[in-house]
């Protein structure tokens, strides 16, 4: 087979695998970025000693444990407490003053992974006196990640990095006030764990989650193709009240999507947008 034929066969096999995952399990990866999907499927193929994408599909149809691994592969869950500390600093300095003008606040973390971003938000709200009048919803379609998020554990080896991020994000106390650690793990304080409402929600197939004042969807849309990003931006637009704030990841933007004209660039560098009135 020449190179072009091989690529075409591979693309056809990937499409068939993604169709099967959608038909059999309801997970729709058909509009994720091609590069991401190819990389992750090839990786699983190698790890499992399989020789072709169609062998991956065959295995996925027969073996539930394998399918579960494959679904985990397609969802990248890398995250950190106070990830991109300058973003959290901007949130504290520019967005919190707006939230302070509201009697009740609703925040949605879409694609929350194992919860670090939502816990960072809960800490920020505590320090800014907004904890009691805020509801934080944190959603993801990866149930394993959500189960870990609810438990609020993280490895002890991460404490140093997380403390540094917290301090660069203009944290007002000692980061150690927010968790209890033993020789292996640290666990977030009960009050922080109780604060967050965790829910399974798929941005591709589920509808509006709630009307909210602030949405954070960071480092999620980067894995979607342009059409899917456009669709999800419509969902966010419909979920935000007027004057609501949308926060994206460092490599993401509203450019080229249908609703981009409905927002102002509130903090351009930090990818913070404000829905127009
Ligand atoms: C790289 S993590 C980002 C976590 C966090 N927002 C951050 O920036 O640190 C991406 C998360 O998006 C989630 N995700 C991917 N596709 C999704 C979808 N269709 N619906 C909901 N969550 C999705 C993944 O499961 C993963 O937990």
């Amino acid at each position: 087979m020449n190179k072009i034929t091989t690529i075409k066969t591979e693309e056809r096999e990937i499409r068939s695998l993604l169709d099967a995952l959608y038909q059999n399990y309801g997970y729709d990866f058909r509009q994720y970025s091609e590069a991401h999907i190819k990389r992750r499927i090839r990786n699983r193929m190698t790890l499992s000693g399989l020789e072709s994408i169609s062998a991956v599909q065959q295995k996925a149809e027969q073996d539930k444990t394998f399918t579960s691994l494959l679904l985990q592969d397609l969802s990248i869950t890398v995250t950190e407490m106070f990830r991109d500390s300058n973003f959290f600093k901007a949130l504290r300095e520019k967005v919190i003053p707006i939230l302070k003008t509201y009697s009740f606040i609703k925040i949605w973390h879409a694609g929350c992974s194992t919860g670090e971003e939502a816990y960072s938000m809960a800490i920020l709200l505590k320090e800014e006196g907004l904890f009691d009048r805020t509801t934080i919803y944190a959603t993801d379609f990866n149930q394993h990640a959500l189960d870990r998020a609810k438990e609020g554990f993280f490895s002890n080896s991460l404490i140093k990095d997380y403390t540094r991020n917290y301090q660069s994000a203009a944290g007002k106390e000692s980061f150690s006030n927010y968790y209890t650690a033993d020789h292996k793990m640290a666990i977030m304080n009960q009050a922080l764990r109780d604060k967050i409402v965790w829910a399974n929600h798929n941005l591709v197939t589920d509808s509006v989650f709630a009307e909210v004042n602030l949405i954070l969807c960071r480092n999620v849309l980067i894995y979607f193709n342009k059409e899917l990003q456009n669709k999800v931006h419509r969902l966010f637009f419909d979920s935000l009240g007027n004057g609501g704030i949308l926060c994206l990841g460092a490599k993401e933007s509203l450019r080229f999507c249908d609703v981009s004209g409905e927002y102002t660039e509130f903090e351009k560098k930090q990818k913070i947008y404000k829905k127009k009135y």
Side-chain angles (χ1 to χ4, degrees):
M1 255 196 288
N2 66 32
K3 205 169 165 204
I4 296 178
T5 318
T6 312
I7 293 173
K8 285 214 160 123
T9 307
E10 192 183 68
E11 280 171 0
R12 210 180 35 250
E13 288 181 347
I14 288 181
R15 260 202 310 276
S16 163
L17 169 61
L18 298 184
D19 282 343
L21 284 179
Y22 180 53
Q23 299 305 335
N24 300 336
Y25 299 96
Y27 287 102
D28 192 355
F29 292 101
R30 294 173 300 174
Q31 289 183 290
Y32 277 51
S33 110
E34 236 177 271
H36 161 67
I37 293 289
K38 262 192 196 160
R39 204 176 316 118
R40 302 307 290 171
I41 294 177
R42 281 196 190 133
N43 185 49
R44 176 52 50 199
M45 203 170 104
T46 312
L47 287 175
S48 305
L50 296 167
E51 295 204 333
S52 66
I53 311 276
S54 51
V56 173
Q57 180 171 346
Q58 240 174 30
K59 197 159 171 65
E61 280 166 1
Q62 292 156 359
D63 180 347
K64 278 211 165 120
T65 315
F66 178 80
T67 310
S68 165
L69 279 177
L70 188 59
L71 292 172
Q72 289 303 311
D73 289 335
L74 295 174
S75 130
I76 307 279
T77 54
V78 176
T79 186
E80 283 172 31
M81 293 291 262
F82 293 93
R83 182 179 193 175
D84 305 322
S85 51
N86 283 334
F87 162 76
F88 275 94
K89 201 157 174 272
L91 204 58
R92 189 189 288 271
E93 289 167 1
K94 305 278 172 52
V95 177
I96 291 287
I98 298 178
L99 299 183
K100 282 186 175 166
T101 65
Y102 302 154
S103 331
F104 300 103
I105 303 152
K106 284 186 186 167
I107 299 176
W108 178 19
H109 292 265
C112 65
S113 183
T114 44
E116 283 77 348
E117 185 186 81
Y119 284 116
S120 306
M121 176 65 78
I123 291 172
L124 184 62
L125 295 171
K126 221 171 198 340
E127 294 183 357
E128 296 297 331
L130 294 180
F131 194 75
D132 293 333
R133 53 178 148 129
T134 305
T135 303
I136 304 177
Y137 301 104
T139 65
D140 205 286
F141 76 152
N142 180 334
Q143 193 57 44
H144 289 281
L146 276 178
D147 291 343
R148 268 201 48 201
K150 270 180 223 167
E151 287 176 352
F153 282 105
F154 61 92
S155 162
N156 235 339
S157 61
L158 297 169
I159 288 179
K160 219 164 129 195
D161 288 347
Y162 286 0
T163 304
R164 197 180 322 113
N165 285 358
Y166 167 76
Q167 286 165 347
S168 326
K172 291 184 172 172
E173 300 203 13
S174 163
F175 183 56
S176 61
N177 290 351
Y178 299 112
Y179 62 81
T180 314
D182 64 19
H183 60 290
K184 258 176 119 179
M185 301 298 280
I187 181 166
M188 300 311 295
N189 290 354
Q190 184 79 47
L192 297 174
R193 282 185 278 139
D194 290 347
K195 185 72 202 162
I196 302 164
V197 180
W198 307 99
N200 195 309
H201 179 276
N202 190 328
L203 290 165
V204 183
T205 46
D206 294 333
S207 52
V208 168
F209 184 78
E211 181 165 320
V212 296
N213 309 104
L214 169 62
I215 295 176
L216 288 88
C217 184
R218 300 169 61 231
N219 312 300
V220 180
L221 299 182
I222 196 173
Y223 301 109
F224 296 2
N225 73 15
K226 288 278 171 249
E227 291 82 53
L228 187 54
Q229 289 184 24
N230 203 27
K231 178 178 159 185
V232 176
H233 276 307
R234 166 60 58 186
L235 177 75
F236 292 154
F237 180 77
D238 292 340
S239 308
L240 274 177
N242 287 340
I245 306 277
L246 173 66
C247 304
L248 303 177
K251 294 186 191 130
E252 296 156 342
S253 87
L254 274 177
R255 250 186 313 154
F256 309 124
C257 76
D258 295 345
V259 292
S260 65
E262 308 294 333
Y263 290 88
T264 54
E265 283 181 323
F266 185 66
E267 268 297 300
K268 194 171 175 188
K269 197 152 178 243
Q270 300 306 328
K271 305 295 171 71
I272 304 179
Y273 301 87
K274 192 164 189 270
K275 183 172 167 176
K276 289 178 183 169
Y277 282 94

